[in-house]
Amino acid sequence: MKKFLKHYSPNPNELKNHKHLGWLGKHLHHSSLWNFNRKSISKAFAVGLFCAFIPVPFQMLLAAPSAVIFAANLPVSIALVWITNPITMPPIFYGCYKLGAWILDVSIEKDFVMSLEYVWQVFGTIWQPFLLGCLTLSIISSTFGYFAVQLTYRLKAYKRLRRS
C-alpha cells in the first residue's frame, strides 16, 4: 500500500515552484508532508477526518493548509476529506444533525426531507444541532483515526519483531 501511495503522490519539487499555490507552495518541500510513516500518517488521519465533517464546500482547501501546519502527510490528509463526497454527504450530515439534536436534547424535524431547498428553509431551527453534531463527529473521528493509525503501526512493528 505504501508503494502504491508513493507512486501516485505528486512530486514535491514540482509543487513548490507552482505559482498558483501561493504561500502554500514554499512550504511543500517539508519532508513530513510526503513521508509515509507512523507520525505523519496518524496526523494526516486526524487532519483529514476532522476536515471531512466540517460542512463547507471544498474541504480540501482546509485540509491542505492544516496538513502543512501540523506537518501531516499532505496527500492522505486531502484524500480523507473525500469521505464526505456528494453521494455520502446527505446521510452523513443528517446523522450529524441527529447526533447534535440528541446531545442538545431537542426534537428532530418530523418531516425532514433530504433536499437542499428544505434544509435552507429550516436552517434557522436546525443549525445549532447540525453544527454541534458536525463538530462532535469531527473531533471523535479525528481522535479515533489518529490513535487507530498509531495502534496499527505499533501492532505491525510488534508482529515483525515476533517473526524475527
Side-chain angles (χ1 to χ4, degrees), residues 26 34 58 69 78 91 95 100 105 115 118 123 137 152:
K26 66 181 177 185
W34 307 101
F58 308 110
I69 291 166
I78 291 173
D105 197 26
S115 77
Y118 178 76
F123 195 73
L137 193 55
T152 302

Side-chain angles (χ1 to χ4, degrees), residues 21-41:
L21 294 173
W23 71 270
L24 199 55
K26 66 181 177 185
H27 296 286
L28 293 178
H29 65 280
H30 198 277
S31 64
S32 65
L33 298 178
W34 307 101
N35 284 338
F36 288 90
N37 58 34
R38 178 177 53 91
K39 196 173 183 179
S40 65
I41 296 296

